[in-house]
Amino acid sequence: MPRQPAPAYPAAFSSDSPSVGRARLAVLIDADNAQASLVGQVLAEVATFGTAHVKRAYGDWTSTSLKSWKEQLLAHSIQPIQQFAYVAGKNATDAAMVIDAMDLLYRGRLDGFCLVSSDSDFTRLAARLRESGRIVYGFGERKTPRSFVAACDKFVYVENLADPRAAPAPADLPLARPAGASPAEPVAADGAKPAPRQPVPGARLRGDTNLVNGLRDAVEEASDDDGWASQAYVGSIISRRSSDFDPRDYGYRKLGELIAAIDLFEVERRSAGTGKPAVVYLRDKRPRRAH
């Protein structure tokens, strides 16, 4: 019998899912290692994965260093969890956040966790939650250690959540990066973070060997005997292989836009029935090797 593609992952893993995920999520924010100015964008991204049933931010709220959080906590109905810094130089926030996460886990009412921090101390927590069958989404800056990024099912760099209407950055995105490495972030001459970059042209995308091979391998793995693969399933394979893969690193909002720009695959939209969105399939333009 013809080999059929395996079922796609849940909507939360699909880069171009037409519907919002229904997963019940807990959003736990390490306020000492997260930017208050980006919390709105982070919560908007969380909404694409599911519904935030729990929203908590941890820190020593008596400290003046967290005063910028007050407005964001009120605007987004985030519960502040007070944790005094008992000893100077020691981060007590991490322990409080870990304890709460385990309490929420054992109540068994949640499908996943969103950990907002750039601190590698949460690596073991992310791994433990995944061992218990929960989906873990990480949110942090590009400086986030690789160990924490890899411990999450999906990791989103907060720099990619900037306002898309802002002027594009003049700096170029590196053509390729080693497997598993975080994409480099362009830095302006004055040290400030640049605005979102322009989409990388197709010719440069095709010159990125790491990207091209990754896409082709995913399409091949997901393909049927005729070479066609569901784009949603291709996206889930890429997410499994690289938790921090994001089309926005290349200036594209969705995987489908990146696929169209790189122009290495045939694209076919198939009807899924009356009232249902079309299903997108991909096939490598190169001649298929004989089995």
Side-chain angles (χ1 to χ4, degrees):
M1 296 179 63
R3 179 167 63 92
Q4 298 297 325
Y9 264 46
F13 280 85
S14 173
S15 302
D16 296 299
S17 174
S19 61
V20 176
R22 299 183 182 276
R24 297 167 297 176
L25 304 174
V27 181
L28 308 181
I29 303 171
D30 175 12
D32 293 328
N33 285 287
Q35 299 179 47
S37 60
L38 290 176
V39 69
Q41 291 93 320
V42 168
L43 291 175
E45 187 78 4
V46 168
T48 67
F49 301 135
T51 302
H53 285 244
V54 176
K55 292 183 286 185
R56 299 177 184 175
Y58 301 78
D60 183 358
W61 302 106
T62 64
S63 171
T64 56
S65 63
L66 297 182
K67 63 181 181 180
S68 62
W69 276 91
K70 181 178 179 181
E71 182 178 344
Q72 301 299 332
L73 296 176
L74 295 173
H76 300 287
S77 189
I78 299 172
Q79 180 184 4
I81 305 297
Q82 171 63 30
Q83 181 59 53
F84 290 103
Y86 297 113
V87 180
K90 298 291 185 179
N91 191 352
T93 299
D94 295 3
M97 189 164 150
V98 170
I99 291 171
D100 263 13
M102 297 310 294
D103 284 345
L104 291 168
L105 171 66
Y106 288 121
R107 290 177 191 174
R109 300 174 183 173
L110 296 168
D111 301 308
F113 290 79
C114 301
L115 306 179
V116 186
S117 178
S118 301
D119 192 340
S120 64
D121 289 348
F122 295 108
T123 300
R124 181 59 189 136
L125 173 61
R128 179 65 181 82
L129 294 172
R130 292 181 69 187
E131 289 170 4
S132 296
R134 301 302 191 271
I135 297 174
V136 178
Y137 302 101
F139 295 82
E141 299 176 37
R142 294 197 188 277
K143 67 180 182 182
T144 304
R146 187 65 200 169
S147 58
F148 181 33
V149 173
C152 300
D153 289 291
K154 175 70 177 177
F155 195 90
V156 178
Y157 293 110
V158 295
E159 290 86 351
N160 281 332
L161 304 180
D163 187 351
R165 295 169 297 180
D172 290 333
L173 184 73
L175 283 177
R177 56 191 173 102
S182 298
E185 179 187 2
V187 178
D190 59 1
K193 293 178 181 177
R197 61 181 65 89
Q198 290 178 323
V200 178
R204 291 193 60 226
L205 292 174
R206 291 188 292 275
D208 185 335
T209 305
N210 195 54
L211 173 64
V212 170
N213 289 342
L215 291 174
R216 280 177 165 161
D217 287 349
V219 170
E220 175 64 24
E221 181 176 332
S223 65
D224 59 19
D225 284 348
D226 293 324
W228 289 102
S230 161
Q231 182 172 283
Y233 186 36
V234 169
S236 73
I237 291 173
I238 294 172
S239 293
R240 292 205 311 267
R241 293 179 175 179
S242 180
S243 63
D244 61 338
F245 176 83
D246 194 328
R248 288 171 294 195
D249 283 329
Y250 303 92
Y252 297 92
R253 296 181 304 118
K254 297 181 179 181
L255 177 61
E257 296 177 1
L258 178 62
I259 292 290
I262 202 168
D263 196 27
L264 294 174
F265 304 93
E266 298 177 53
V267 179
E268 184 177 281
R269 296 182 179 274
R270 302 179 184 176
S271 173
T274 305
K276 296 181 180 180
V279 179
V280 180
Y281 282 81
L282 309 173
R283 184 166 65 177
D284 198 329
K285 288 183 176 180
R286 298 179 304 175
R288 282 179 61 79
R289 298 189 299 269
H291 290 291

